Amino acid sequence: MPLNRNNGGFTLIEVIASLVILGIIVAITGLGLVEGIRSYLFTRMTADTVQQAQFALARMRLEFVNMETPSAGNIDSITFRSDNTRRSAVGSGYLNQGYDTPGTTYQFSRTGTQINLTRRASGGSAETQPLITGLGPYGTNAAADAFLGYTVNTATSPSGSLPGDFRDLKLITVRLIMNRTDENGTLTFVTAVNPRNNGLANCPESIPGGQ
């Protein structure tokens, strides 16, 4: 009796071909999944970095706009007072304006990979806390790669030192260079602040008593 070879099964070649095709599909799907996760993490970490930088810039902008008596400033640090109570008779010179009550002293300083904010109320002790961390490398050019720059009323680009007269200060440039946490490289954020309490003609109007 002849054997029936038409049993409807798969040959070895068909099974191997199916496994190869299945492996290719799994590999492609896996690569797509890994790339999707990587893109999500990249977006998430970049968004976190941008959010931290925007918060730090907003805080510095608020304090710089309302500064009243700066005392020192270079590319890495600035010290000033705000919230002073002014007398009716103002003394001569912008650093000797005759205040009934000295205001709060602020200092923003870059140290290594972070920027610190030091705050000292009149008669109180200094309190220092990090404003932002994760900074990248900085240079010494106030117009290109330094943390702080100061533009006087007669200049078009910033220098690395605070002018001798607050009334000459037109802009304070703030630059944050952040290390990217997702890959190599940095992200740079820049803003320019126009103080409103120095009496310069092109500055915003001063609000009595501050904000």
Side-chain angles (χ1 to χ4, degrees), residues 74-76 110 137-149 159-160 173-177 189-190:
N74 54 43
I75 60 173
D76 291 320
R110 183 182 71 86
Y138 278 80
T140 58
N141 187 339
D145 54 14
F147 168 41
L148 295 169
S159 68
T173 301
V174 185
R175 181 176 289 102
L176 296 181
I177 302 176
F189 305 85
V190 182

Side-chain angles (χ1 to χ4, degrees), residues 10 19 24 36 49 51 95 101 104 112 123 134-135 177 188 190 193 195 197 202:
F10 295 99
L19 291 176
I24 294 173
T49 300
Q51 186 176 30
L95 291 179
T101 304
T104 301
L135 298 180
I177 302 176
T188 301
V190 182
V193 184
N197 291 315
N202 65 345

Side-chain angles (χ1 to χ4, degrees), residues 124-159:
S125 57
E127 299 177 358
T128 301
Q129 60 184 4
L131 179 65
I132 189 169
T133 60
L135 298 180
Y138 278 80
T140 58
N141 187 339
D145 54 14
F147 168 41
L148 295 169
Y150 311 92
T151 305
V152 298
N153 195 31
T154 57
T156 58
S157 60
S159 68

Side-chain angles (χ1 to χ4, degrees), residues 32-42:
L33 182 61
V34 169
E35 189 62 31
I37 294 174
R38 182 180 178 183
S39 298
Y40 168 78
L41 293 176
F42 167 80

Side-chain angles (χ1 to χ4, degrees), residues 16-195:
I16 294 175
S18 299
L19 291 176
V20 170
I21 293 173
L22 181 61
I24 294 173
I25 293 174
V26 170
I28 294 174
T29 303
L31 289 175
L33 182 61
V34 169
E35 189 62 31
I37 294 174
R38 182 180 178 183
S39 298
Y40 168 78
L41 293 176
F42 167 80
T43 303
R44 178 64 181 271
M45 288 185 289
T46 300
D48 289 344
T49 300
V50 171
Q51 186 176 30
Q52 293 175 26
Q54 289 177 336
F55 172 81
L57 288 176
R59 178 62 190 272
M60 286 186 282
R61 172 181 286 274
L62 175 65
E63 303 300 347
F64 291 168
V65 164
N66 290 290
M67 72 165 57
E68 295 181 351
T69 52
S71 55
N74 54 43
I75 60 173
D76 291 320
S77 176
I78 183 171
T79 305
F80 58 92
R81 287 206 311 254
S82 294
D83 309 319
N84 300 302
T85 301
R86 199 184 305 274
R87 296 174 185 168
S88 57
V90 178
S92 61
Y94 82 101
L95 291 179
N96 182 28
Q97 299 188 38
Y99 294 104
D100 284 329
T101 304
T104 301
T105 299
Y106 295 89
Q107 182 185 67
F108 291 90
S109 59
R110 183 182 71 86
T111 304
T113 60
Q114 70 182 36
I115 292 172
N116 294 322
L117 167 58
T118 301
R119 181 179 182 274
R120 184 176 70 251
S122 176
S125 57
E127 299 177 358
T128 301
Q129 60 184 4
L131 179 65
I132 189 169
T133 60
L135 298 180
Y138 278 80
T140 58
N141 187 339
D145 54 14
F147 168 41
L148 295 169
Y150 311 92
T151 305
V152 298
N153 195 31
T154 57
T156 58
S157 60
S159 68
S161 59
L162 190 71
D165 193 327
F166 184 34
R167 292 168 295 185
D168 292 333
L169 180 61
K170 179 171 62 174
L171 291 173
I172 301 174
T173 301
V174 185
R175 181 176 289 102
L176 296 181
I177 302 176
M178 304 291 298
N179 280 323
R180 298 182 63 162
T181 56
D182 54 290
E183 56 185 40
N184 294 330
T186 58
L187 295 173
T188 301
F189 305 85
V190 182
T191 189
V193 184
N194 195 319

